[in-house]
């Protein structure tokens, strides 16, 4: 770079020295020769000679030339001057001045054009100048880069041949002719054969007489843009297809009004879900404000609108059933609290009156204000729920059969349990008769006999009541139950059986236990079944202490834990397979008892496990029960 500058500087210096020499020679010639100033025209050639070196050199050459011309004129006319000589001198000076000015203007134009040419080189767009026959006259760096042809290769070639495109179509030609310009999209070919999409703008070139002398065009590469656009459209189409073909109903909706209605009325002292659960009117009003923006075919089918167009703008998802209001209340509460997604199972009535169980999942989309764009997905679980109901019915029947068979096993103890108070009743009745039959009846003793008859009768009725409730075939009824009462009731039924086998049956209930949410009969069935299993396992005397303990404690996760622990031989397999249906080690066993216990406990939201007592002999079965019914908030957490 520096070397290049030195070379350029040296050539300018040499040219200026030569110019100065020529000037001096011309001056001497002008002074000595008898051409009366005509020689001074040669000065003009010197000005033109230095013009390419710059403005300053032109001005200097003009000034020096004028000075030398003046000097020659003065020296040549020291002995007097004619009027014509003075005129010639004046003309020479004027010519020098005009030449200097024209050189300066030429210099300025050249500089401007040079800068414009550099701008054309700098631009990333392609700039091509073509003559009327489409022959390329100019080809900038952008064109070189985009089409792969160098300037040397492109200039002089026919543009449409080089870039394999039509030039120009009749339509383009007429637009160019009429408007002097045209812009649009064209497709050309790169040197390597790839097709390039361009946004092109063409200007008609005309000479001063208005004759067309070709086209100047500037084009920008749209290939990437078009490809990205195409990919986006393909991707959109793919997702649209997935959306439409999804086996579940999905629609986009505006829930901003719904969320506002839910949030606006919520009092500060109540959690919003608790408040909404008690305000079905608000939930119904909020959901009525949610309008569908777009939906898929499954949504059209679910809401029976016939077409997507009819679905759009409508509000088919009404909270017009208690289950629907509860489900929507949960979703509204979660979204109002800021959840990104909320899900709930609910029940809706379709326009034709079909009641559908649906799992609704509402997801906040990234666009717009909160709730303004939500994606609602509805999974129709009506059939699944019907199947589940059938299974539940079958397991309830199985559990009932198991209870009845368990009662059969307990029949001897139960008979004894009932027989005892009955015998006592008969004895106290006889005794009462005797007291009455005396000459001086002791009414106080008669009174005591009646009291004992009543208490024994109540005891017998209680036993029968328990047996009847276990034998009854009723749909499970979930309620909040006192754990101590549950354990007492089970103990009453099984105590005699244990005692008969020489086993001590005890219970330990932790103080302050919360009530559990369960079906009374089913939990009793589980407890009695577990104790019965322990009694059966300890039937063979082992010599050691034979004890069964029912223990109830409060777990750290809020659930209540019940354990039946014995001092028998323990599970032969460590308890790994005992919940599998038909697993039994007993000759007359069915292997269904523990399997039914597991179904019962899991259906109530608990868990059950079996293991041997670590280090000590015996087995232990532990199960848990929830303290909250369904989605209800625990009573303790509801603030007044
Ligand atoms: P079944 O009593 O008809 O065999 P269960 O499902 O009630 O069916 O019990 C399955 C098996 O689990 C029993 O056969 C027995 O081997 C084992 N089992 C249950 N409880 C105990 C226990 N307390 N101690 C030892 N083994 C037990």
């Amino acid at each position: 770079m520096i070397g290049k500058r030195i070379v350029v500087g040296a050539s300018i210096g040499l040219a200026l020295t030569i110019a100065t020499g020529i000037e001096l020679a011309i001056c001497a010639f002008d002074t000595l020769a008898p051409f009366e100033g005509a020689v001074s025209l040669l000065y003009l050639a010197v000005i033109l000679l230095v013009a390419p070196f710059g403005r300053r050199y032109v001005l200097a050459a003009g000034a020096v030339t004028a000075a030398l011309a003046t000097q020659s004129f003065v020296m040549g006319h020291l002995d007097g001057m004619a009027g014509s000589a003075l005129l010639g001198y004046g003309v020479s000076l004027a010519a020098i001045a005009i030449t200097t000015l024209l050189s300066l203007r030429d210099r300025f134009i050249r500089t401007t054009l040079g800068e414009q040419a550099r701008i054309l080189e700098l631009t990333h767009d392609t700039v091509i100048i073509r003559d009327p026959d489409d022959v390329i006259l100019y080809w900038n760096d952008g064109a070189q880069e985009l089409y792969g042809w160098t300037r040397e290769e492109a200039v002089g070639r026919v543009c449409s041949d080089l870039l394999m495109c039509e030039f120009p179509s009749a339509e383009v030609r007429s637009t160019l002719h009429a408007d002097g310009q045209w812009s649009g999209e064209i497709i050309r070919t790169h040197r390597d054969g790839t097709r390039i999409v361009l946004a092109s703008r063409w200007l008609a070139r005309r000479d001063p007489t208005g004759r067309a002398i070709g086209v100047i065009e500037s084009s920008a590469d749209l290939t990437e843009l078009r490809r990205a656009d195409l990919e986006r459209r393909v991707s959109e189409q793919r997702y649209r297809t997935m959306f439409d073909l999804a086996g579940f109903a999905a629609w986009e909706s505006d829930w901003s009004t719904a969320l506002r209605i839910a949030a606006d009325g919520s009092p500060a002292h109540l959690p919003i879900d608790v408040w909404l659960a008690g305000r079905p009117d608000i939930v119904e009003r909020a959901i009525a404000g949610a309008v569908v923006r777009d939906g898929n075919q499954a949504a059209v089918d679910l809401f029976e609108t016939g077409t997507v167009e009819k679905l759009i703008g409508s509000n088919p998802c009404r909270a017009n059933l208690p289950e629907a209001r509860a489900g929507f209340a949960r979703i509204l509460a979660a979204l109002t609290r800021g959840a990104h997604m909320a899900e709930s199972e609910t029940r809706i009535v379709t326009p034709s009156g079909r009641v559908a169980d649906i799992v609704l999942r509402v997801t906040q989309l990234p666009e717009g204000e909160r709730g303004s764009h939500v994606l609602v997905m509805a999974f129709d679980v009506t059939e699944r729920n019907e199947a589940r109901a059938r299974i539940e019915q079958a397991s309830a029947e199985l559990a009932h059969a198991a209870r009845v068979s368990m009662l059969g096993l307990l029949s001897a103890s139960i008979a004894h349990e009932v027989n005892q108070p009955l015998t006592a009743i008969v004895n106290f009745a006889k005794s009462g008769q005797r007291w009455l039959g005396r000459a001086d009846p002791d009414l106080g003793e008669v009174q005591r006999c009646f009291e004992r008859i009543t208490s024994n009768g109540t005891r017998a009725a209680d036993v029968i009541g328990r047996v009847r409730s276990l034998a009854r075939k009723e749909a499970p009824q979930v309620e909040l139950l006192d754990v101590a009462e549950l354990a007492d009731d089970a103990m009453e039924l099984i105590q005699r059986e244990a005692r008969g086998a020489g086993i001590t049956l005890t219970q330990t209930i932790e103080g302050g236990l919360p009530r559990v949410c369960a079906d009374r009969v089913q939990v009793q069935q589980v407890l009695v079944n577990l104790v019965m299993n322990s009694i059966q396992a300890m039937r063979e005397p082992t010599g050691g202490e034979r004890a069964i303990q029912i223990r109830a404690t409060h777990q750290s996760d809020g659930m209540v834990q019940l354990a039946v622990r014995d001092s028998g031989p323990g599970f032969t397999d460590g308890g790994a397979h005992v919940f599998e249906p038909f697993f039994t080690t007993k000759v007359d066993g069915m292997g269904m008892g523990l399997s039914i216990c597991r179904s019962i406990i899991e259906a109530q939201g608990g868990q059950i496990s079996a293991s041997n007592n670590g280090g000590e002999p015996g087995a232990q079965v532990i199960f848990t029960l929830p303290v909250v019914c369904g989605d209800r908030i625990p009573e303790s957490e509801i603030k007044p």
Side-chain angles (χ1 to χ4, degrees):
M1 188 72 180
I2 294 170
K4 197 175 169 189
R5 274 199 197 145
I6 292 171
V7 172
V8 172
S11 10
I12 292 174
L14 181 65
L16 289 177
T17 312
I18 294 169
T20 311
I22 295 171
E23 286 249 43
L24 290 172
I26 295 168
C27 177
F29 191 56
D30 190 16
T31 308
L32 302 173
F35 295 125
E36 286 299 327
V39 175
S40 61
L41 288 177
L42 292 171
Y43 289 128
L44 306 183
V46 177
I47 297 171
L48 293 174
L49 187 71
V50 298
F53 300 119
R55 199 168 153 268
R56 275 182 296 157
Y57 298 102
V58 174
L59 285 171
V64 169
T65 309
L68 290 175
T70 305
Q71 187 198 346
S72 306
F73 173 72
V74 171
M75 301 257 308
H77 300 86
L78 286 174
D79 50 345
M81 73 181 75
S84 60
L86 194 59
L87 187 61
Y89 166 64
V91 169
S92 296
L93 283 186
I96 289 168
I98 289 167
T99 306
T100 306
L101 286 175
L102 286 177
S103 294
L104 285 173
R105 203 185 70 153
D106 179 59
R107 176 79 207 151
F108 175 73
I109 290 169
R110 274 170 190 276
T111 309
T112 310
L113 284 176
E115 280 167 0
Q116 284 171 353
R118 272 206 299 283
I119 290 170
L120 290 183
E121 293 309 329
L122 278 178
T123 176
H124 288 296
D125 292 351
T126 67
V127 178
I128 303 174
I129 300 175
R130 309 188 301 251
D131 74 3
D133 297 323
D134 198 26
V135 173
I136 298 166
L137 302 176
Y138 175 78
W139 181 263
N140 79 338
D141 286 354
Q144 205 161 276
E145 182 137 331
L146 185 65
Y147 300 117
W149 298 99
T150 64
R151 185 170 296 125
E152 291 70 31
E153 289 167 329
V155 170
R157 298 277 301 272
V158 174
C159 184
S160 48
D161 293 346
L162 186 71
L163 302 176
M164 289 187 241
C165 64
E166 289 287 308
F167 172 83
S169 71
E171 189 195 331
V172 173
R173 211 193 299 264
S174 74
T175 310
L176 261 179
H177 182 72
D179 306 343
Q181 57 176 292
W182 171 85
S183 59
E185 263 183 38
I186 52 173
I187 296 176
R188 282 180 171 158
T189 311
H190 186 272
R191 185 178 194 154
D192 65 12
T194 50
R195 306 287 272 168
I196 307 167
V197 184
L198 300 151
S200 200
R201 187 171 155 74
W202 296 6
L203 288 174
R205 296 171 64 222
R206 297 187 199 284
D207 68 8
T209 64
R211 195 171 53 91
I213 54 165
V215 171
I216 175 165
E217 64 144 270
S218 162
S219 307
D221 185 4
L222 291 182
T223 317
E224 270 312 307
L225 216 65
R226 284 285 167 273
R227 198 182 357 252
D229 196 40
L230 186 70
E231 274 172 15
R232 188 178 50 76
R233 272 186 284 136
V234 168
S235 162
E236 264 178 24
Q237 187 54 47
R238 198 170 55 236
Y239 284 112
R240 181 75 221 184
T241 309
M242 281 160 65
F243 181 67
D244 284 339
L245 297 182
F248 52 84
W251 64 96
E252 195 200 318
S253 195
D254 180 357
W255 277 45
S256 49
T257 313
L259 294 188
R260 218 175 7 257
I261 291 173
D264 281 354
S266 164
H269 66 274
L270 265 187
I272 187 159
D273 39 4
V274 177
W275 178 71
L276 278 177
R279 291 300 305 268
D281 55 323
I282 299 273
V283 174
E284 209 166 329
R285 194 152 59 83
I287 293 303
V291 176
V292 173
R293 278 215 179 86
D294 193 6
N296 68 357
Q297 188 55 43
V300 171
D301 295 344
L302 178 67
F303 296 119
E304 299 155 358
T305 55
T307 60
V308 176
E309 288 67 33
K310 283 192 188 147
L311 180 67
I312 294 171
S314 73
N315 178 15
C317 206
R318 294 306 179 106
N320 47 9
L321 282 180
E323 296 93 331
R325 286 190 284 268
F328 281 118
R330 284 192 289 273
I331 291 175
L332 282 171
L335 293 180
T336 310
R337 277 197 306 250
H340 170 69
M341 188 275 286
E343 190 178 286
S344 182
E345 183 166 341
T346 185
R347 180 168 283 179
I348 57 163
V349 185
T350 66
S352 68
R354 181 174 81 93
V355 176
D357 288 346
I358 53 170
V359 172
L360 264 189
R361 176 179 290 187
V362 183
T363 309
Q364 169 78 46
L365 297 174
E367 299 118 272
E369 60 166 310
R370 179 132 199 88
S372 65
H373 292 75
V374 295
L375 177 66
V376 187
M377 287 183 270
F379 306 90
D380 192 335
V381 290
T382 316
E383 274 183 27
R384 187 200 70 180
N385 283 0
E386 283 167 2
R388 190 190 280 170
R390 283 195 293 275
I391 292 170
E392 275 169 10
Q393 168 82 18
S395 25
E397 278 170 14
L398 188 63
H400 176 252
R403 280 202 302 276
V404 173
S405 121
M406 196 172 68
L407 288 174
L409 290 177
L410 288 173
S411 56
S413 313
I414 293 166
H416 195 86
E417 202 72 3
V418 178
N419 207 25
Q420 233 183 12
L422 286 181
T423 311
I425 288 168
V426 173
N427 289 339
F428 284 118
K430 281 182 184 161
S431 173
Q433 274 173 342
R434 274 199 302 278
W435 287 114
L436 277 176
R438 285 168 73 157
D440 182 15
D442 187 338
L443 291 181
E445 282 300 329
V446 175
Q447 170 79 11
R448 266 193 296 282
C449 285
F450 273 121
E451 279 169 6
R452 283 179 185 137
I453 288 170
T454 311
S455 67
N456 277 288
T458 310
R459 208 179 123 206
D462 280 354
V463 176
I464 291 166
R466 272 188 213 102
V467 172
R468 279 188 60 188
S469 73
L470 273 180
R472 212 178 286 144
K473 192 173 172 186
E474 274 179 352
Q477 222 182 342
V478 172
E479 55 189 324
L480 283 170
L481 303 170
D482 186 275
V483 180
E485 266 177 37
L486 279 173
D488 281 346
D489 283 353
M491 293 263 294
E492 286 289 335
L493 274 174
I494 198 88
Q495 185 67 272
R496 169 158 292 279
E497 191 76 13
R499 216 179 294 131
I503 297 166
T504 324
L505 176 60
T506 55
Q507 59 164 309
T508 314
I509 310 293
E510 192 183 284
L513 271 190
R515 289 190 296 166
V516 292
C517 187
D519 176 84
R520 179 185 298 277
V521 173
Q522 290 191 339
V523 177
Q524 274 183 31
Q525 177 177 356
V526 172
L527 279 172
V528 172
N529 201 330
L530 296 181
V531 176
M532 272 289 280
N533 273 354
S534 292
I535 294 171
Q536 287 171 351
M538 289 191 285
R539 202 141 266 167
E540 300 303 317
T542 53
E545 189 212 356
R546 296 199 293 160
I548 301 172
Q549 189 193 31
I550 299 175
R551 207 176 60 241
T553 48
H554 197 186
Q555 281 194 163
S556 56
D557 63 0
M559 307 274 277
V560 166
Q561 186 192 81
L562 283 122
V564 175
R565 182 188 167 108
D566 63 49
S567 56
F571 296 105
T572 48
D573 66 341
H577 302 286
V578 290
F579 293 107
E580 288 170 13
F582 308 113
F583 176 89
T584 183
T585 56
K586 298 170 194 166
V587 184
D588 54 348
M590 276 273 288
M592 287 303 292
L594 288 179
S595 164
I596 291 170
C597 287
R598 182 168 69 176
S599 308
I600 288 174
I601 296 302
E602 287 180 354
Q604 321 218 16
Q607 284 183 331
I608 190 165
S609 63
S611 63
N612 284 332
N613 299 331
E616 291 171 39
Q620 168 167 265
V621 178
I622 296 175
F623 65 91
T624 57
L625 288 172
V627 294
V628 180
C629 289
D631 290 344
R632 275 212 317 248
I633 306 290
E635 287 160 13
S636 56
E637 284 181 31
I638 302 177
K639 297 180 190 72

